[in-house]
Amino acid sequence: AVVSTQSTGTSRRGTIAVTPPLVKGCSQRNQSLYDGSFAVLGARLWDVVPVDVKSLKTFLSFKEKLSQFLASFPDNPPVRGYSCVNSNSLLDWAGARRL
């Protein structure tokens, strides 16, 4: 199945990705596959990127600012036998910052 993403723009959040929901009544397995797909996770990750980074005009400036943004998050991969604050996913870290 092909998942199509669309984008829309707002003045406050800049360009955001919109992924249509999966058809209601599908199996849990299909829902999990859909939720873990690149189309869905990629759109969610794009939406975490700040407006000032997404609105840059050149690739090099975008790449530099994106690298700075990503470096602002800790890199704490899970270690067997120790508990973690989260899964070390950028989506988890970004959600924790918004709280």
Side-chain angles (χ1 to χ4, degrees), residues 60-94:
L60 289 177
S61 60
F62 171 77
K63 183 179 171 184
E64 181 181 332
K65 287 291 188 181
L66 181 63
S67 293
Q68 291 172 2
F69 169 69
L70 294 174
S72 72
F73 291 91
D75 185 15
N76 299 327
V79 177
R80 185 173 292 160
Y82 294 92
S83 62
C84 299
V85 174
N86 60 38
S87 68
N88 201 42
S89 164
L90 183 59
L91 296 171
D92 289 342
W93 285 116

Side-chain angles (χ1 to χ4, degrees), residues 51-63:
V51 174
D52 61 318
V53 176
K54 289 191 272 191
S55 63
L56 292 169
K57 301 294 182 206
T58 67
F59 175 72
L60 289 177
S61 60
F62 171 77
K63 183 179 171 184

